[in-house]
Amino acid sequence: MSTPIPTPAATPPDVVRAAYMELVVTDLQASRDFYVDVLGLHVTEEDEEAVYLRSLEEFIHHNLVLRKGPVAAVAAFAYRVRTPADLDRAVAFYTELGCRVERRAGGYTKGVGDSVRVEDPLGFPYEFFYDVEHVERLTWSYDVHTPGELVRIDHFNQVTPDVPRAVKYMEDLGFRVTEDIQDEAGTTYAAWMRRKPTVHDTAMTGGDGPRMHHVAFSTHEKHNIIAICDKLGALRRSDAIERGPGRHGVSNAFYLYLRDPDGHRVEIYTQDYYTGDPDNPVVTWDVHDNQRRDWWGNPVVPSWYTDASPVLDLDGNVQPLTARTDDSEMAVTIGADGFSYTRKDDTEHGFKLGAQL
Amino acid sequence: MSTPIPTPAATPPDVVRAAYMELVVTDLQASRDFYVDVLGLHVTEEDEEAVYLRSLEEFIHHNLVLRKGPVAAVAAFAYRVRTPADLDRAVAFYTELGCRVERRAGGYTKGVGDSVRVEDPLGFPYEFFYDVEHVERLTWSYDVHTPGELVRIDHFNQVTPDVPRAVKYMEDLGFRVTEDIQDEAGTTYAAWMRRKPTVHDTAMTGGDGPRMHHVAFSTHEKHNIIAICDKLGALRRSDAIERGPGRHGVSNAFYLYLRDPDGHRVEIYTQDYYTGDPDNPVVTWDVHDNQRRDWWGNPVVPSWYTDASPVLDLDGNVQPLTARTDDSEMAVTIGADGFSYTRKDDTEHGFKLGAQL
Amino acid sequence: MSTPIPTPAATPPDVVRAAYMELVVTDLQASRDFYVDVLGLHVTEEDEEAVYLRSLEEFIHHNLVLRKGPVAAVAAFAYRVRTPADLDRAVAFYTELGCRVERRAGGYTKGVGDSVRVEDPLGFPYEFFYDVEHVERLTWSYDVHTPGELVRIDHFNQVTPDVPRAVKYMEDLGFRVTEDIQDEAGTTYAAWMRRKPTVHDTAMTGGDGPRMHHVAFSTHEKHNIIAICDKLGALRRSDAIERGPGRHGVSNAFYLYLRDPDGHRVEIYTQDYYTGDPDNPVVTWDVHDNQRRDWWGNPVVPSWYTDASPVLDLDGNVQPLTARTDDSEMAVTIGADGFSYTRKDDTEHGFKLGAQL
Amino acid sequence: MSTPIPTPAATPPDVVRAAYMELVVTDLQASRDFYVDVLGLHVTEEDEEAVYLRSLEEFIHHNLVLRKGPVAAVAAFAYRVRTPADLDRAVAFYTELGCRVERRAGGYTKGVGDSVRVEDPLGFPYEFFYDVEHVERLTWSYDVHTPGELVRIDHFNQVTPDVPRAVKYMEDLGFRVTEDIQDEAGTTYAAWMRRKPTVHDTAMTGGDGPRMHHVAFSTHEKHNIIAICDKLGALRRSDAIERGPGRHGVSNAFYLYLRDPDGHRVEIYTQDYYTGDPDNPVVTWDVHDNQRRDWWGNPVVPSWYTDASPVLDLDGNVQPLTARTDDSEMAVTIGADGFSYTRKDDTEHGFKLGAQL
């Protein structure tokens, strides 16, 4: 069991939302092809080192930075804060936590000004910024819409060994839990946390960490997600589809998981629910409930549990991993020692598709 | 020109969102048929005097109260606030404004506790509450979903003679403008304002007021709205469709306007955009732009401009109207003296369907 | 009352389906912009005189020919027949009817071989062909799909003064009526007739004729039609939307009517029903039923009733019109002497939107 | 290799379409719950022995008969023919083939009159009928639509050991192949054949037979299929979902496979393409193409390959099976000796999800 992360006396920065991810990719052209030509993200700006992309309804400079580098990894999970003063708060908050903190008045990426980056207590590279270049919101530009149009960045998902420890720290940072997965013994396998009033801005998934599980973009409707799958088939890239499409139990969203050319996981997501009331009810799922991760009981492929992207420290080196010591969700739900059920009280418990494939 | 409403020194209550409307209806059974059997809202509780209804994803007691009464009118526009202490703030804020203020520890409707109601500076009956009974959120109950399922209450829309005056007061109350309609002379015809990060929790529409223009519920997808129209056709109630379905210019939402048995207007609405950033760009539309209210240029029927519901004071009497003295949107856009355009620089200006119908 | 058209002793050609329309357009580039850049039809072939277009799921050379010419008109309504021998049958059938008949072994358009064109008894230029060039069916090419993708040609719609006379002739040609609009006195205002098992391959609409009312293309889903409207708005071409989108009573299809740069009317259409059984029930609608043409009771704009495209004879001259002497549908349903109802037995009859616009 | 089935000299009956299936079920109430309460098929008539169900847009008495019996099996695959005289043709055609043929003037099921049933050369119980009771077509009855409304019966799918032998017989019966799956050595694994102009009225799937693989119903749109999955989740019956939803390569339809309480397989299906032209191009898929059965490369579960329902002879006894001697599709595509590819020319071949689950 790791040491708890103390609650700082400092006021945390007022985080508005998950705003962008900086991804290091090993083949910039291949990644550009995937995110621009296949997924249809809009290029705000690009050069030989990086491509700055945004979703349809975004008015800030970017939601995703693809930066060429030697190792596929995540350089930053970036959050927008409410005021410039929140950068001071971020510095104080993380300094008190004993974290490495850097501030650059000119920002770390094009289009973003004064920024704070930290190596947070879980080992993740978090960025906080307010100052950002505004660009055209393409909402009404239906002439550039594609059938699978990505309209918003929705959330991050992070892999960390001790989920309750991570949740407590994120609550100190001002996030609120909306849903989680537990077992009867009280082990927490994953938790979803939000600032904006959706199910999450980020989630903590139990596993060896720090790693990035996925970054998620929203579409307007379910058929938009199906259109992405259909297009991947037409391009003979269907093996980019890792899991789904399906309906989540957790969040109730319709989803799809893709793997980009470096193996970074991208979720396409639509139609979770409003969570903005102060007393929004937390939904806790039983880890053995086979509908918790796919409401239709369709299998979660093992790679979805095991694979995730490295994250970088502020010098650009890959962060070492700490192993999870709690039970793994995969082990307790499928395989020799685990089980899942469709109906809790059924005498027969078993994973729907068994070990057949 | 009316006197400006002064900005109170008191801190306004922290409004979370538009939460429910209390409607007085003259035939409770006819209204119940419309909202429950036709539109599929879910009954939380009912008695001989009132029906309490909620949308699919709601966890508070109700989003709509239908109360039997002699005159079809609106008894309350109710907002959820963040904490119990915000009720004290509401009392102080409106008392300073010289408004009539009432507080009932037991609430005004079933399911809601301590509440403040005011006759606001514009003459509207506003309610603020925190304490509320939680009920089952039906999000995952797909076995009760209908093809036209209403999933959330989205916003109110109010008619008031002097829009800038109303906006200034609402900004003092903590609302932010997201979009508005103006003309080249600076007249403001309507403005949309939000607390939750959507295009609005309420809008101010220029006209004789105070009156209620509409209350809006959201669906998940566009086909859900079409299903409502189709069902009204099957029930031979298509004359309940006043306007639409269509795509708004303002808000970019897909919409439909219905009239209930008393003529109260209900909007069905889906897919506006995220507005939660502090510097969210305001969109200003030209009143002569024929795509501002319907992106496809389809006509706005005159009744949509002229009709609205009376509102009640705290004694249950209908509030008298103050006439709009600014130009009316209908007059400047259609008819003998008005005009609209599809392309601003076209030499020919004209309303698409003209006076032909 | 016109003379009935005699039933030929000759066996009619076995028509498979409405296959393509040849449109004369006055500005080829403007028309190409509309059909290709806006509507997304696929170019099979083009030169300075003509553009040959097909829908996504088509495997024959074209569904629409745009040909440059001095007068916007229709040069051919072309039907595919089952065998080459059906061309001989077409010659015999129309020769017996006393019609002008031409046959060209090399066809009238690129991509089509041996063809018969006639000036039919109603004055329309009908073509029959079997021999046609096969091209790639783009069904699986999701990488070229647009949000408003047109997947099939569905039907033609023709204006003719005496509908029962036209229907009798079309039945002799092997078509079957699926739906019609009549009044209590037995006047027929329109009739829908099919060869393929959908509601129609062509319809006869009462009015001064011969004229072409519209040509229709299908989409897969309703949101595809909405996407076309949204795109027209983005391009500031919303005035190309003449009527809809809406739900038809007749055919039950979801629809949209557009006007191309020459005023030719194009319908976008989806989800009518299977009619292929020999005893498929005919649906007859009351002309006064306000839901017959729009299930939601939304208004049919007058231009939809009054405007239509000229058709050409086999020399390329515009066919003169014969006036309708039966009642006009517009006159009996709207305006001073007409009426429509939402519920047949209501005492109050009236057009929903009245004469207000 | 089995003996080829000779081509009869007799003219085959003119089959219009796959019209209904008679299923023997072991628990009539459980089956009624599944098909009526879960899937929403409409009850035309029922008694203690049988339930007669139809889809929304059907006007004949039924598309599915659930009949109580001791062994879950298929009693009839019933086709509508064009004229009463086609029953005589069916008798002559199958008599010449040496099959057992029965004719009942009063029909085999309620609502259907004069009928011919045969034990066809492949061992399947085929029925041919023209005379049938008409019932209300519910197309316009949007007040009874469910979110997952089934609008048409689309096709059957039959398991038989020798696919080319079966295809040849079906072509003699007037069916046309639209698509098939083969390998480089010429083995045919499955073939799709149609009378009505869709991809199929029935398909032949290679395996031990005669068995019934599935019966398929259509929805209007893709979201309707998703709604069925969501509802099964809400009812905690997600284990009824065997495969999908997904996009087929073959047929291009969006699909879902369910298993009813007896294990009978039901497909929900939407949006294949028009095949009615005489020279409609046949699409041949490579058995190793991992996108042939699921365009997204998602796995076909083994049960989908191995399980199927017995069929009955005309005395109600289960037909014995003949083993497939050709290669099995499952063996050549997954597992130790088989392989699939996403891109034909990739050096690495492998089933996307491997043997991991």
Side-chain angles (χ1 to χ4, degrees):
Chain A
M1 186 62 71
S2 1
T3 320
I5 301 165
T7 300
T11 301
D14 185 352
V15 171
V16 174
R17 59 161 170 146
Y20 82 85
M21 181 174 279
E22 182 179 349
L23 277 181
V24 180
V25 300
T26 60
D27 180 337
L28 188 59
Q29 186 59 46
S31 293
R32 189 190 191 283
D33 288 351
F34 181 76
Y35 287 103
V36 178
D37 297 341
V38 179
L39 293 184
L41 286 173
H42 301 274
V43 179
T44 299
E45 193 172 351
E46 61 186 319
D47 57 32
E48 293 193 354
E49 297 304 311
V51 184
Y52 298 82
L53 300 171
R54 71 183 193 277
S55 55
L56 184 86
E57 299 189 352
E58 189 52 80
F59 73 96
I60 66 170
H61 188 266
H62 55 257
N63 300 127
L64 189 68
V65 180
L66 307 175
R67 184 176 306 284
K68 196 163 62 179
V71 178
V74 176
F77 300 75
Y79 294 99
R80 188 100 199 269
V81 294
R82 194 163 307 278
T83 66
D86 286 300
L87 270 69
D88 303 328
R89 291 188 193 100
V91 169
F93 183 86
Y94 284 100
T95 300
E96 185 176 347
L97 282 169
C99 295
R100 179 171 171 192
V101 175
E102 268 192 12
R103 183 168 184 167
R104 285 199 198 163
Y108 289 81
T109 64
K110 290 193 178 175
V112 177
D114 191 12
S115 308
V116 171
R117 282 198 177 179
V118 305
E119 294 170 10
D120 86 355
L122 309 175
F124 290 97
Y126 264 29
E127 173 177 310
F128 303 89
F129 71 96
Y130 169 82
D131 185 26
V132 66
E133 190 178 320
H134 286 207
V135 292
E136 188 189 5
R137 181 174 248 162
L138 296 168
T139 302
W140 290 266
S141 299
Y142 288 98
D143 48 328
V144 305
H145 285 215
T146 60
E149 191 68 29
L150 305 180
V151 300
R152 282 186 292 280
I153 187 169
D154 190 80
H155 63 263
F156 309 135
N157 188 306
Q158 306 171 241
V159 184
T160 194
D162 183 337
V163 173
R165 182 174 180 263
V167 165
K168 194 258 175 196
Y169 145 62
M170 292 299 289
E171 288 178 334
D172 290 343
L173 188 57
F175 285 67
R176 305 181 68 97
V177 173
T178 56
E179 304 201 22
D180 60 15
I181 295 177
Q182 302 188 15
D183 65 14
E184 60 290 356
T187 301
T188 300
Y189 295 85
W192 285 256
M193 286 160 296
R194 65 103 186 164
R195 287 292 305 175
K196 74 179 185 307
T198 61
V199 169
H200 51 327
D201 285 286
T202 195
M204 293 293 166
T205 299
D208 304 347
R211 291 183 296 164
M212 186 276 285
H213 194 272
H214 63 263
V215 56
F217 291 90
S218 296
T219 62
H220 274 136
E221 302 202 336
K222 295 181 286 288
H223 63 80
N224 300 118
I225 290 184
I226 293 169
I228 292 170
C229 298
D230 289 337
K231 184 176 179 181
L232 285 163
L235 297 170
R236 287 283 161 184
R237 297 185 70 158
S238 62
D239 47 355
I241 300 173
E242 184 188 37
R243 179 184 155 205
R247 167 78 64 189
H248 282 309
V250 175
S251 84
N252 193 47
F254 191 72
Y255 72 87
L256 172 71
Y257 292 98
L258 304 176
R259 300 294 289 272
D260 85 359
D262 280 300
H264 295 309
R265 187 179 289 109
V266 182
E267 182 178 13
I268 320 295
Y269 182 93
T270 193
Q271 294 162 26
D272 60 357
Y273 57 92
Y274 169 80
T275 62
D277 276 24
D279 51 352
N280 179 67
V282 174
V283 180
T284 291
W285 297 79
D286 180 349
V287 74
H288 299 292
D289 180 350
N290 198 26
Q291 295 188 182
R292 76 198 180 290
R293 288 210 179 263
D294 186 275
W295 186 243
W296 312 333
N298 281 339
V300 178
V301 295
S303 65
W304 191 90
Y305 283 121
T306 58
D307 296 4
S309 296
V311 303
L312 302 182
D313 65 20
L314 298 188
D315 298 318
N317 299 314
V318 168
Q319 286 278 19
L321 299 189
T322 302
R324 175 169 172 89
T325 54
D326 284 345
D327 285 343
S328 98
E329 183 173 339
M330 186 167 72
V332 302
T333 56
I334 51 176
D337 302 320
F339 70 93
S340 293
Y341 58 79
T342 300
R343 287 165 295 277
K344 193 167 190 173
D345 299 326
D346 272 12
T347 50
E348 203 177 333
H349 281 180
F351 187 54
K352 190 166 74 169
L353 295 182
Q356 298 165 295
L357 280 180
Chain B
M1 187 62 72
S2 0
T3 321
I5 301 166
T7 299
T11 301
D14 185 352
V15 171
V16 175
R17 57 161 171 146
Y20 82 87
M21 181 173 281
E22 182 179 350
L23 276 181
V24 179
V25 299
T26 59
D27 179 337
L28 188 59
Q29 185 59 47
S31 293
R32 189 190 190 286
D33 288 350
F34 182 76
Y35 287 102
V36 178
D37 298 339
V38 179
L39 292 184
L41 286 173
H42 300 274
V43 178
T44 299
E45 193 172 349
E46 61 186 322
D47 56 32
E48 291 194 355
E49 297 303 311
V51 184
Y52 298 82
L53 300 170
R54 71 183 193 275
S55 56
L56 184 85
E57 299 189 351
E58 188 54 80
F59 73 96
I60 65 170
H61 188 268
H62 55 257
N63 299 130
L64 189 68
V65 179
L66 307 175
R67 184 176 306 285
K68 196 162 61 178
V71 178
V74 176
F77 299 75
Y79 294 98
R80 188 98 200 270
V81 293
R82 195 163 306 279
T83 65
D86 286 301
L87 270 69
D88 303 329
R89 291 190 193 97
V91 169
F93 183 87
Y94 284 101
T95 299
E96 186 176 348
L97 281 170
C99 295
R100 178 171 171 192
V101 176
E102 267 193 10
R103 183 168 184 169
R104 286 198 197 165
Y108 290 80
T109 64
K110 288 192 179 177
V112 177
D114 191 13
S115 308
V116 171
R117 283 197 175 177
V118 305
E119 293 170 11
D120 86 354
L122 309 174
F124 289 97
Y126 263 29
E127 173 177 309
F128 302 89
F129 71 97
Y130 169 81
D131 185 26
V132 66
E133 190 178 321
H134 286 206
V135 292
E136 188 189 5
R137 182 174 248 162
L138 297 169
T139 303
W140 290 266
S141 299
Y142 288 98
D143 48 327
V144 304
H145 285 215
T146 59
E149 190 69 29
L150 305 181
V151 300
R152 279 185 295 279
I153 187 169
D154 192 80
H155 63 263
F156 308 135
N157 189 303
Q158 307 171 242
V159 183
T160 193
D162 184 336
V163 173
R165 180 172 181 266
V167 165
K168 194 261 176 194
Y169 145 62
M170 292 299 288
E171 288 177 334
D172 290 342
L173 187 58
F175 285 66
R176 305 181 68 97
V177 172
T178 57
E179 305 202 22
D180 61 14
I181 296 177
Q182 302 187 15
D183 66 15
E184 61 290 355
T187 302
T188 299
Y189 295 86
W192 284 256
M193 287 160 296
R194 66 106 184 162
R195 287 291 303 173
K196 74 178 183 308
T198 61
V199 170
H200 51 328
D201 286 286
T202 195
M204 294 293 167
T205 299
D208 304 347
R211 290 183 298 161
M212 186 275 287
H213 193 272
H214 64 263
V215 56
F217 291 89
S218 295
T219 63
H220 274 138
E221 302 202 333
K222 296 181 284 290
H223 62 80
N224 301 118
I225 290 183
I226 293 169
I228 293 171
C229 297
D230 289 337
K231 184 175 178 181
L232 286 164
L235 297 171
R236 289 284 163 183
R237 297 184 70 158
S238 63
D239 47 355
I241 301 173
E242 183 186 39
R243 181 185 155 205
R247 169 77 66 191
H248 282 310
V250 174
S251 84
N252 193 47
F254 190 73
Y255 72 87
L256 171 71
Y257 292 98
L258 303 177
R259 301 294 290 272
D260 85 0
D262 279 301
H264 295 308
R265 187 180 288 108
V266 181
E267 182 178 14
I268 320 294
Y269 182 93
T270 193
Q271 293 160 29
D272 60 358
Y273 57 92
Y274 168 80
T275 62
D277 276 23
D279 51 352
N280 179 68
V282 174
V283 180
T284 292
W285 297 80
D286 181 348
V287 72
H288 299 292
D289 180 349
N290 198 27
Q291 295 187 182
R292 76 197 180 291
R293 289 209 178 262
D294 185 275
W295 187 243
W296 311 335
N298 281 339
V300 177
V301 295
S303 64
W304 191 91
Y305 283 121
T306 57
D307 296 3
S309 297
V311 302
L312 302 183
D313 64 22
L314 298 189
D315 299 318
N317 300 314
V318 169
Q319 286 278 19
L321 300 188
T322 302
R324 177 170 171 89
T325 54
D326 283 346
D327 285 344
S328 98
E329 183 172 339
M330 186 167 74
V332 301
T333 56
I334 52 176
D337 301 320
F339 70 93
S340 293
Y341 57 79
T342 301
R343 288 164 295 276
K344 191 165 191 176
D345 299 328
D346 272 12
T347 50
E348 203 176 332
H349 281 182
F351 186 55
K352 191 167 73 169
L353 295 184
Q356 297 166 295
L357 281 179
Chain C
M1 188 61 72
S2 1
T3 320
I5 301 164
T7 301
T11 301
D14 185 352
V15 170
V16 173
R17 59 163 171 143
Y20 81 86
M21 182 175 279
E22 182 178 349
L23 277 181
V24 179
V25 299
T26 59
D27 180 337
L28 189 58
Q29 186 59 46
S31 294
R32 190 190 190 284
D33 288 351
F34 181 76
Y35 288 103
V36 178
D37 298 340
V38 179
L39 292 185
L41 285 172
H42 301 274
V43 178
T44 299
E45 194 172 348
E46 61 185 320
D47 57 32
E48 292 193 354
E49 297 303 311
V51 184
Y52 299 82
L53 300 170
R54 71 183 193 278
S55 55
L56 183 86
E57 298 190 352
E58 188 54 80
F59 73 96
I60 67 171
H61 189 267
H62 55 257
N63 301 129
L64 189 68
V65 180
L66 307 174
R67 185 176 306 284
K68 195 163 62 178
V71 178
V74 176
F77 301 75
Y79 294 99
R80 188 98 200 270
V81 294
R82 194 162 306 279
T83 67
D86 286 301
L87 270 68
D88 303 327
R89 290 188 194 101
V91 170
F93 183 87
Y94 283 100
T95 301
E96 187 176 345
L97 282 170
C99 296
R100 180 171 170 192
V101 175
E102 268 193 10
R103 182 169 185 168
R104 285 198 197 165
Y108 288 81
T109 64
K110 289 192 179 177
V112 177
D114 191 12
S115 308
V116 171
R117 283 197 176 178
V118 304
E119 293 171 9
D120 86 354
L122 309 175
F124 290 97
Y126 263 29
E127 174 177 310
F128 303 89
F129 71 97
Y130 169 82
D131 185 27
V132 66
E133 191 179 319
H134 286 206
V135 293
E136 187 188 7
R137 181 175 248 162
L138 298 169
T139 302
W140 289 267
S141 300
Y142 288 99
D143 49 326
V144 304
H145 285 215
T146 59
E149 191 68 29
L150 305 181
V151 299
R152 281 186 292 281
I153 186 169
D154 191 80
H155 63 263
F156 308 135
N157 188 306
Q158 307 171 242
V159 183
T160 194
D162 183 335
V163 173
R165 182 173 180 262
V167 166
K168 195 260 175 193
Y169 145 63
M170 292 300 288
E171 287 178 333
D172 289 342
L173 188 58
F175 285 66
R176 304 180 69 97
V177 173
T178 56
E179 304 201 22
D180 61 15
I181 295 176
Q182 301 188 13
D183 66 14
E184 61 291 354
T187 301
T188 300
Y189 294 85
W192 285 256
M193 285 161 295
R194 66 103 186 166
R195 287 292 303 173
K196 72 178 185 309
T198 61
V199 169
H200 52 326
D201 286 286
T202 195
M204 292 294 167
T205 299
D208 304 347
R211 292 182 298 163
M212 186 275 287
H213 193 272
H214 63 263
V215 56
F217 291 89
S218 295
T219 63
H220 275 137
E221 302 202 334
K222 295 180 285 289
H223 62 81
N224 301 118
I225 290 183
I226 293 168
I228 293 171
C229 298
D230 288 338
K231 184 175 180 182
L232 285 163
L235 297 170
R236 288 284 161 183
R237 296 184 71 158
S238 63
D239 48 353
I241 299 173
E242 184 187 37
R243 180 184 157 205
R247 168 78 66 190
H248 282 309
V250 174
S251 83
N252 193 47
F254 190 73
Y255 72 86
L256 172 70
Y257 291 98
L258 304 176
R259 300 295 290 271
D260 85 0
D262 279 301
H264 296 308
R265 186 179 290 108
V266 182
E267 182 178 13
I268 320 296
Y269 182 92
T270 193
Q271 294 161 27
D272 61 357
Y273 58 92
Y274 169 80
T275 61
D277 276 22
D279 50 352
N280 179 68
V282 174
V283 180
T284 292
W285 297 80
D286 180 349
V287 73
H288 300 292
D289 180 350
N290 197 27
Q291 295 188 182
R292 75 198 182 289
R293 289 209 178 264
D294 185 275
W295 186 243
W296 312 333
N298 281 339
V300 178
V301 295
S303 64
W304 192 91
Y305 283 121
T306 58
D307 295 4
S309 296
V311 302
L312 302 182
D313 65 21
L314 298 189
D315 298 317
N317 299 314
V318 169
Q319 286 279 20
L321 300 187
T322 301
R324 176 170 171 89
T325 53
D326 284 346
D327 285 343
S328 99
E329 183 173 339
M330 185 167 74
V332 301
T333 55
I334 50 176
D337 302 320
F339 70 93
S340 293
Y341 58 78
T342 300
R343 288 164 295 276
K344 193 166 190 175
D345 299 328
D346 272 11
T347 50
E348 203 176 333
H349 281 182
F351 187 55
K352 189 166 73 168
L353 295 183
Q356 299 164 295
L357 283 178
Chain D
M1 187 61 72
S2 1
T3 321
I5 300 165
T7 300
T11 302
D14 185 352
V15 171
V16 174
R17 57 160 171 146
Y20 82 86
M21 181 173 281
E22 181 179 349
L23 277 181
V24 180
V25 299
T26 60
D27 180 337
L28 188 59
Q29 184 59 45
S31 294
R32 190 190 189 284
D33 288 351
F34 182 76
Y35 288 102
V36 178
D37 297 340
V38 178
L39 293 184
L41 286 173
H42 300 275
V43 179
T44 299
E45 193 172 350
E46 61 186 320
D47 56 33
E48 293 192 354
E49 296 304 311
V51 183
Y52 298 83
L53 301 170
R54 71 183 194 275
S55 55
L56 184 85
E57 298 190 352
E58 188 55 79
F59 73 97
I60 66 170
H61 188 267
H62 56 257
N63 298 129
L64 188 68
V65 180
L66 308 175
R67 185 176 305 285
K68 195 163 61 179
V71 179
V74 176
F77 300 76
Y79 293 99
R80 187 101 200 267
V81 293
R82 194 162 307 279
T83 66
D86 285 300
L87 270 70
D88 303 328
R89 290 189 194 99
V91 169
F93 183 86
Y94 284 100
T95 300
E96 186 177 347
L97 282 169
C99 295
R100 179 171 169 193
V101 175
E102 267 191 11
R103 183 168 185 167
R104 286 198 197 162
Y108 289 81
T109 64
K110 289 192 179 177
V112 177
D114 191 11
S115 308
V116 171
R117 283 197 175 177
V118 305
E119 293 170 11
D120 86 354
L122 308 175
F124 290 97
Y126 263 30
E127 173 177 310
F128 302 90
F129 72 97
Y130 169 80
D131 184 27
V132 66
E133 190 179 319
H134 286 206
V135 292
E136 188 189 4
R137 182 175 248 162
L138 296 168
T139 303
W140 290 267
S141 299
Y142 288 98
D143 48 329
V144 304
H145 284 215
T146 60
E149 190 69 28
L150 305 181
V151 300
R152 280 186 293 281
I153 187 169
D154 191 80
H155 63 264
F156 308 135
N157 189 305
Q158 307 170 240
V159 183
T160 194
D162 184 336
V163 173
R165 181 172 180 263
V167 165
K168 194 259 175 196
Y169 145 63
M170 292 299 288
E171 288 178 333
D172 290 342
L173 186 58
F175 285 66
R176 306 181 68 98
V177 172
T178 55
E179 305 201 23
D180 61 16
I181 296 176
Q182 301 187 14
D183 67 15
E184 60 290 356
T187 302
T188 300
Y189 294 85
W192 285 256
M193 287 161 294
R194 66 104 185 163
R195 287 291 305 173
K196 73 180 184 308
T198 60
V199 170
H200 52 327
D201 285 286
T202 195
M204 293 292 166
T205 299
D208 304 347
R211 290 184 298 163
M212 186 275 286
H213 194 272
H214 64 262
V215 57
F217 291 89
S218 296
T219 63
H220 274 136
E221 301 201 334
K222 295 181 284 290
H223 62 80
N224 301 118
I225 290 183
I226 293 167
I228 292 171
C229 298
D230 289 337
K231 184 177 179 181
L232 285 163
L235 297 171
R236 288 285 162 181
R237 297 184 69 156
S238 63
D239 47 356
I241 299 173
E242 183 187 39
R243 180 184 156 204
R247 169 75 66 189
H248 283 310
V250 174
S251 84
N252 193 48
F254 189 73
Y255 72 86
L256 171 71
Y257 292 99
L258 304 176
R259 301 294 288 273
D260 85 1
D262 279 299
H264 295 309
R265 188 180 287 107
V266 181
E267 183 178 12
I268 319 295
Y269 182 94
T270 192
Q271 294 162 28
D272 60 357
Y273 58 91
Y274 169 79
T275 62
D277 276 24
D279 51 351
N280 179 69
V282 175
V283 180
T284 292
W285 297 80
D286 181 349
V287 72
H288 299 292
D289 180 350
N290 197 27
Q291 295 187 182
R292 75 196 182 291
R293 290 211 178 262
D294 186 276
W295 186 243
W296 311 335
N298 281 339
V300 177
V301 295
S303 64
W304 191 90
Y305 283 122
T306 57
D307 296 3
S309 297
V311 302
L312 302 182
D313 65 20
L314 298 189
D315 298 319
N317 300 313
V318 169
Q319 285 279 19
L321 300 188
T322 301
R324 176 168 170 91
T325 54
D326 283 347
D327 285 344
S328 99
E329 184 173 338
M330 186 166 73
V332 302
T333 55
I334 52 175
D337 301 320
F339 69 94
S340 292
Y341 58 79
T342 301
R343 288 164 295 278
K344 192 166 189 175
D345 300 326
D346 272 12
T347 51
E348 202 177 335
H349 280 181
F351 187 55
K352 191 166 73 168
L353 295 183
Q356 297 166 293
L357 281 180

